[in-house]
Amino acid sequence: MHALLASCLFLTLVSAAIIPKRTGTGNGSNGNGNQGNQGNRNFNVQLGPRPYYLVDDMDEGPLKEKLQSCSEGPFKVSDFVFAHRGAPLQFPEHTNESYSAARRMGAGAIECDVAFTNDKQLVCRHAQCDLHTTTDILNRTDLADKCTTPFTPATNGTRAKALCCTSDITQAEFKTLCGKMDGFNPNATTVAEYLDGTPYFRTDLYSTCGTVLTHNEYIDLVNGWDLKFTPELKTPEVEMPFNGYTQQKYAQDMIDAYKNASIEPSRVWAQSFLADDIFYWIENEPEFGAQAVYLDSRVDTVQGYANATTTLPDLAARGVQIVAPAFFALTKVDNATGAIVPSEYALAAKAAGLEIVTWSFERSGWLKSGGDYYYQYVKSVINNDGDMYNVLDVLVQQVGITHFFSDWPATLTYYASCFGL
């Protein structure tokens, strides 16, 4: 019975890949979240059981009652829902299969983290140097020796190590790789053991051979679905310029790919953790810069959080319109009431007139012990998986976020459809 249910879920999710693509011009017709996929008249958003499990797990109260009232849908594509790397809770990230699953679950925009290869071509990988944990490159005798740091087994208390970068190989070589679930075993003494490190809350069920994609293939795929784009220019892990390839050229190449495909800038949220990339787009590609997202990692330390909060007006003065810290930075617990409320950063961003996007939902595993990095400021009031919907509700209704990245888009789509986002 379990095998049958798993097979049915898999067929439901991946069936999006065989629905005929819309042959649009690239201008898109889904200006509002609920209007997406008009080219696929029979397209049916499927959420699977997880949102229902989470709602059932919530403490009793008005929010649970509201979400329960939406159990039979209808569920619609929503631009509120940004697919973080596709659907990597269960599918190898940044693969055709992961993107197809995200689309089936109602994501209005899909992310490609953009890195460059040795021949300066753009591909979709979460980090420039993560091929050793997200692909089968270490199993490839023709490519493994090209890695910056080939596999070294664990020995005498020293962790196993490897480092394989997109810049170690060409785009053609990259395309021969198989995507796998992100993870590694630091105690491995063999390559097979090293690659067998998927986190406990994910699965290898669909990690057979994920189809890795170039940036241009991603654009064609998402455009064919009439969805929107959230490309992130990954911070290089090699010294720049790289064989003459400058950071500015890298940033321009990413934008040029959308211009060459006749994609309207309003369909693209270009992202970067480097403020200089955002400033470059504002100054040199203002149509894309107007919707560029500054991923604010300064909040990761106490001092950085304070500095980020006080300097948000400076970002706005430089033309930045959207900031995106990890969602832990947007809420806190009111000690007097025990309620989850907007944080100082969230209030300062709104006061500076900045739009807020955030990341990443469904990346934490079990929440019965208070959660991890993403729940660190509200840990004291988190004790079950359903509590994630309480945090989401504060982020939407009080903080006022406009988009949310998720590793499993269905969880957000359920809420978005229920509240008309």
Side-chain angles (χ1 to χ4, degrees), residues 142-161:
D142 56 329
L143 295 178
D145 287 343
K146 294 187 176 184
C147 290
T148 297
T149 304
F151 172 73
T152 302
T155 181
N156 298 324
T158 301
R159 292 159 57 102
K161 63 180 180 180

PDB file of all heavy atoms in Angstrom, residues 142-161:
ATOM      1  N   ASP A 142      35.600  10.171 -15.428  1.00  0.00           N
ATOM      2  CA  ASP A 142      36.096  11.109 -16.434  1.00  0.00           C
ATOM      3  C   ASP A 142      36.084  12.550 -15.949  1.00  0.00           C
ATOM      4  O   ASP A 142      36.698  13.423 -16.573  1.00  0.00           O
ATOM      5  CB  ASP A 142      35.269  10.996 -17.718  1.00  0.00           C
ATOM      6  CG  ASP A 142      33.777  11.214 -17.479  1.00  0.00           C
ATOM      7  OD1 ASP A 142      33.293  10.885 -16.377  1.00  0.00           O
ATOM      8  OD2 ASP A 142      33.091  11.705 -18.401  1.00  0.00           O
ATOM      9  N   LEU A 143      35.407  12.830 -14.826  1.00  0.00           N
ATOM     10  CA  LEU A 143      35.272  14.214 -14.352  1.00  0.00           C
ATOM     11  C   LEU A 143      35.781  14.426 -12.927  1.00  0.00           C
ATOM     12  O   LEU A 143      36.150  15.548 -12.564  1.00  0.00           O
ATOM     13  CB  LEU A 143      33.808  14.648 -14.427  1.00  0.00           C
ATOM     14  CG  LEU A 143      33.187  14.725 -15.828  1.00  0.00           C
ATOM     15  CD1 LEU A 143      31.716  15.128 -15.725  1.00  0.00           C
ATOM     16  CD2 LEU A 143      33.937  15.711 -16.707  1.00  0.00           C
ATOM     17  N   ALA A 144      35.789  13.393 -12.110  1.00  0.00           N
ATOM     18  CA  ALA A 144      36.116  13.556 -10.692  1.00  0.00           C
ATOM     19  C   ALA A 144      37.499  14.166 -10.478  1.00  0.00           C
ATOM     20  O   ALA A 144      37.697  14.963  -9.554  1.00  0.00           O
ATOM     21  CB  ALA A 144      36.017  12.212  -9.975  1.00  0.00           C
ATOM     22  N   ASP A 145      38.450  13.800 -11.327  1.00  0.00           N
ATOM     23  CA  ASP A 145      39.807  14.322 -11.162  1.00  0.00           C
ATOM     24  C   ASP A 145      39.913  15.805 -11.513  1.00  0.00           C
ATOM     25  O   ASP A 145      40.926  16.449 -11.195  1.00  0.00           O
ATOM     26  CB  ASP A 145      40.791  13.524 -12.025  1.00  0.00           C
ATOM     27  CG  ASP A 145      41.052  12.133 -11.474  1.00  0.00           C
ATOM     28  OD1 ASP A 145      40.731  11.917 -10.283  1.00  0.00           O
ATOM     29  OD2 ASP A 145      41.543  11.277 -12.217  1.00  0.00           O
ATOM     30  N   LYS A 146      38.882  16.353 -12.153  1.00  0.00           N
ATOM     31  CA  LYS A 146      38.893  17.777 -12.491  1.00  0.00           C
ATOM     32  C   LYS A 146      38.442  18.643 -11.322  1.00  0.00           C
ATOM     33  O   LYS A 146      38.552  19.878 -11.375  1.00  0.00           O
ATOM     34  CB  LYS A 146      37.999  18.041 -13.700  1.00  0.00           C
ATOM     35  CG  LYS A 146      38.508  17.393 -14.992  1.00  0.00           C
ATOM     36  CD  LYS A 146      37.676  17.832 -16.191  1.00  0.00           C
ATOM     37  CE  LYS A 146      38.235  17.260 -17.488  1.00  0.00           C
ATOM     38  NZ  LYS A 146      37.504  17.757 -18.686  1.00  0.00           N
ATOM     39  N   CYS A 147      37.917  18.022 -10.275  1.00  0.00           N
ATOM     40  CA  CYS A 147      37.421  18.781  -9.124  1.00  0.00           C
ATOM     41  C   CYS A 147      38.554  19.565  -8.460  1.00  0.00           C
ATOM     42  O   CYS A 147      39.703  19.113  -8.419  1.00  0.00           O
ATOM     43  CB  CYS A 147      36.796  17.842  -8.090  1.00  0.00           C
ATOM     44  SG  CYS A 147      35.231  17.101  -8.626  1.00  0.00           S
ATOM     45  N   THR A 148      38.214  20.711  -7.934  1.00  0.00           N
ATOM     46  CA  THR A 148      39.186  21.526  -7.206  1.00  0.00           C
ATOM     47  C   THR A 148      39.867  20.706  -6.112  1.00  0.00           C
ATOM     48  O   THR A 148      41.089  20.758  -5.945  1.00  0.00           O
ATOM     49  CB  THR A 148      38.491  22.751  -6.587  1.00  0.00           C
ATOM     50  OG1 THR A 148      37.964  23.571  -7.644  1.00  0.00           O
ATOM     51  CG2 THR A 148      39.460  23.578  -5.754  1.00  0.00           C
ATOM     52  N   THR A 149      39.066  19.932  -5.372  1.00  0.00           N
ATOM     53  CA  THR A 149      39.584  19.011  -4.360  1.00  0.00           C
ATOM     54  C   THR A 149      38.938  17.652  -4.574  1.00  0.00           C
ATOM     55  O   THR A 149      37.772  17.460  -4.218  1.00  0.00           O
ATOM     56  CB  THR A 149      39.275  19.506  -2.934  1.00  0.00           C
ATOM     57  OG1 THR A 149      39.786  20.824  -2.753  1.00  0.00           O
ATOM     58  CG2 THR A 149      39.878  18.578  -1.889  1.00  0.00           C
ATOM     59  N   PRO A 150      39.639  16.701  -5.183  1.00  0.00           N
ATOM     60  CA  PRO A 150      39.072  15.360  -5.348  1.00  0.00           C
ATOM     61  C   PRO A 150      38.751  14.729  -3.997  1.00  0.00           C
ATOM     62  O   PRO A 150      39.250  15.156  -2.944  1.00  0.00           O
ATOM     63  CB  PRO A 150      40.184  14.603  -6.085  1.00  0.00           C
ATOM     64  CG  PRO A 150      40.980  15.674  -6.772  1.00  0.00           C
ATOM     65  CD  PRO A 150      40.947  16.834  -5.831  1.00  0.00           C
ATOM     66  N   PHE A 151      37.939  13.687  -4.027  1.00  0.00           N
ATOM     67  CA  PHE A 151      37.503  13.029  -2.793  1.00  0.00           C
ATOM     68  C   PHE A 151      38.682  12.494  -1.988  1.00  0.00           C
ATOM     69  O   PHE A 151      39.578  11.834  -2.510  1.00  0.00           O
ATOM     70  CB  PHE A 151      36.545  11.883  -3.111  1.00  0.00           C
ATOM     71  CG  PHE A 151      36.191  11.041  -1.918  1.00  0.00           C
ATOM     72  CD1 PHE A 151      35.342  11.539  -0.939  1.00  0.00           C
ATOM     73  CD2 PHE A 151      36.717   9.765  -1.760  1.00  0.00           C
ATOM     74  CE1 PHE A 151      35.011  10.778   0.170  1.00  0.00           C
ATOM     75  CE2 PHE A 151      36.397   8.995  -0.659  1.00  0.00           C
ATOM     76  CZ  PHE A 151      35.540   9.502   0.317  1.00  0.00           C
ATOM     77  N   THR A 152      38.658  12.808  -0.682  1.00  0.00           N
ATOM     78  CA  THR A 152      39.621  12.272   0.268  1.00  0.00           C
ATOM     79  C   THR A 152      38.829  11.616   1.393  1.00  0.00           C
ATOM     80  O   THR A 152      37.985  12.278   2.016  1.00  0.00           O
ATOM     81  CB  THR A 152      40.521  13.380   0.853  1.00  0.00           C
ATOM     82  OG1 THR A 152      41.210  14.044  -0.213  1.00  0.00           O
ATOM     83  CG2 THR A 152      41.528  12.799   1.818  1.00  0.00           C
ATOM     84  N   PRO A 153      39.046  10.356   1.679  1.00  0.00           N
ATOM     85  CA  PRO A 153      38.229   9.662   2.688  1.00  0.00           C
ATOM     86  C   PRO A 153      38.517  10.151   4.105  1.00  0.00           C
ATOM     87  O   PRO A 153      39.583  10.699   4.401  1.00  0.00           O
ATOM     88  CB  PRO A 153      38.633   8.201   2.514  1.00  0.00           C
ATOM     89  CG  PRO A 153      40.009   8.239   1.927  1.00  0.00           C
ATOM     90  CD  PRO A 153      40.030   9.456   1.039  1.00  0.00           C
ATOM     91  N   ALA A 154      37.546   9.933   4.976  1.00  0.00           N
ATOM     92  CA  ALA A 154      37.725  10.234   6.400  1.00  0.00           C
ATOM     93  C   ALA A 154      38.739   9.263   6.996  1.00  0.00           C
ATOM     94  O   ALA A 154      38.767   8.076   6.656  1.00  0.00           O
ATOM     95  CB  ALA A 154      36.396  10.117   7.128  1.00  0.00           C
ATOM     96  N   THR A 155      39.569   9.763   7.886  1.00  0.00           N
ATOM     97  CA  THR A 155      40.572   8.907   8.513  1.00  0.00           C
ATOM     98  C   THR A 155      41.077   9.537   9.806  1.00  0.00           C
ATOM     99  O   THR A 155      41.262  10.756   9.889  1.00  0.00           O
ATOM    100  CB  THR A 155      41.768   8.646   7.564  1.00  0.00           C
ATOM    101  OG1 THR A 155      42.702   7.781   8.218  1.00  0.00           O
ATOM    102  CG2 THR A 155      42.461   9.925   7.174  1.00  0.00           C
ATOM    103  N   ASN A 156      41.220   8.717  10.826  1.00  0.00           N
ATOM    104  CA  ASN A 156      41.785   9.157  12.104  1.00  0.00           C
ATOM    105  C   ASN A 156      41.120  10.419  12.648  1.00  0.00           C
ATOM    106  O   ASN A 156      41.791  11.339  13.124  1.00  0.00           O
ATOM    107  CB  ASN A 156      43.295   9.395  11.957  1.00  0.00           C
ATOM    108  CG  ASN A 156      44.044   8.132  11.588  1.00  0.00           C
ATOM    109  OD1 ASN A 156      43.687   7.045  12.046  1.00  0.00           O
ATOM    110  ND2 ASN A 156      45.075   8.269  10.764  1.00  0.00           N
ATOM    111  N   GLY A 157      39.792  10.467  12.573  1.00  0.00           N
ATOM    112  CA  GLY A 157      39.046  11.602  13.097  1.00  0.00           C
ATOM    113  C   GLY A 157      38.954  12.795  12.177  1.00  0.00           C
ATOM    114  O   GLY A 157      38.302  13.790  12.508  1.00  0.00           O
ATOM    115  N   THR A 158      39.597  12.727  11.010  1.00  0.00           N
ATOM    116  CA  THR A 158      39.506  13.811  10.027  1.00  0.00           C
ATOM    117  C   THR A 158      38.345  13.540   9.073  1.00  0.00           C
ATOM    118  O   THR A 158      38.200  12.416   8.557  1.00  0.00           O
ATOM    119  CB  THR A 158      40.815  13.916   9.213  1.00  0.00           C
ATOM    120  OG1 THR A 158      41.896  14.158  10.112  1.00  0.00           O
ATOM    121  CG2 THR A 158      40.732  15.042   8.201  1.00  0.00           C
ATOM    122  N   ARG A 159      37.514  14.523   8.862  1.00  0.00           N
ATOM    123  CA  ARG A 159      36.337  14.371   8.018  1.00  0.00           C
ATOM    124  C   ARG A 159      36.719  14.135   6.557  1.00  0.00           C
ATOM    125  O   ARG A 159      37.748  14.621   6.085  1.00  0.00           O
ATOM    126  CB  ARG A 159      35.456  15.625   8.095  1.00  0.00           C
ATOM    127  CG  ARG A 159      34.787  15.828   9.440  1.00  0.00           C
ATOM    128  CD  ARG A 159      34.356  17.267   9.651  1.00  0.00           C
ATOM    129  NE  ARG A 159      33.470  17.739   8.614  1.00  0.00           N
ATOM    130  CZ  ARG A 159      32.141  17.848   8.734  1.00  0.00           C
ATOM    131  NH1 ARG A 159      31.567  17.482   9.866  1.00  0.00           N
ATOM    132  NH2 ARG A 159      31.405  18.326   7.754  1.00  0.00           N
ATOM    133  N   ALA A 160      35.875  13.401   5.863  1.00  0.00           N
ATOM    134  CA  ALA A 160      36.034  13.251   4.420  1.00  0.00           C
ATOM    135  C   ALA A 160      35.857  14.608   3.773  1.00  0.00           C
ATOM    136  O   ALA A 160      35.135  15.475   4.289  1.00  0.00           O
ATOM    137  CB  ALA A 160      35.000  12.272   3.876  1.00  0.00           C
ATOM    138  N   LYS A 161      36.512  14.810   2.645  1.00  0.00           N
ATOM    139  CA  LYS A 161      36.371  16.104   1.979  1.00  0.00           C
ATOM    140  C   LYS A 161      36.395  15.946   0.468  1.00  0.00           C
ATOM    141  O   LYS A 161      36.937  14.982  -0.080  1.00  0.00           O
ATOM    142  CB  LYS A 161      37.467  17.068   2.426  1.00  0.00           C
ATOM    143  CG  LYS A 161      38.876  16.632   2.076  1.00  0.00           C
ATOM    144  CD  LYS A 161      39.897  17.664   2.572  1.00  0.00           C
ATOM    145  CE  LYS A 161      41.318  17.231   2.230  1.00  0.00           C
ATOM    146  NZ  LYS A 161      42.326  18.232   2.704  1.00  0.00           N
TER     147      LYS A 161
END
